Amino acid sequence: METSGGTPKAQKKLTPLWRAVIEIAFIVFLFYSNLLMGEFTRANQHGKSFLAGLRDVMTLENLAIALVTAFIGYVVFEYLRKKL
């Protein structure tokens, strides 16, 4: 069955890419949720708001760390999937 964008082979090549994007995005989500929970655990007695906590954890440095570690995690899990 041919799709409007090309051949079925082209569609099969996109599937691993989309899986990688979804898995990396999920790892980044887990990273940021962990940072946010830590922010509230550390500073909860000061009455910090949710937006103030988000402002503290949403930095370019944290984004870079999240993306690099998510990519490393994805590569490791792909290796383990193929190995096992």
Side-chain angles (χ1 to χ4, degrees):
M1 178 184 345
E2 189 171 322
T3 59
S4 61
T7 64
K9 285 184 181 180
Q11 186 177 7
K12 284 187 179 183
K13 287 183 182 178
L14 290 179
T15 303
L17 175 67
W18 279 113
R19 189 173 84 193
V21 167
I22 291 169
E23 289 181 11
I24 289 172
F26 185 68
I27 294 170
V28 169
F29 166 75
L30 291 176
F31 175 80
Y32 273 108
S33 64
N34 190 29
L35 278 179
L36 194 58
M37 285 189 293
E39 187 69 23
F40 279 104
T41 301
R42 180 176 59 90
N44 197 20
Q45 65 261 14
H46 302 295
K48 185 175 253 187
S49 70
F50 180 72
L51 290 177
L54 275 178
R55 199 174 322 121
D56 286 346
V57 299
M58 294 294 198
T59 64
L60 287 177
E61 292 85 5
N62 284 343
L63 179 62
I65 292 167
L67 290 175
V68 168
T69 56
F71 181 74
I72 291 170
Y74 171 74
V75 169
V76 168
F77 276 103
E78 278 300 306
Y79 171 78
L80 292 174
R81 273 190 196 119
K82 291 178 182 176
K83 192 77 169 170
L84 301 176

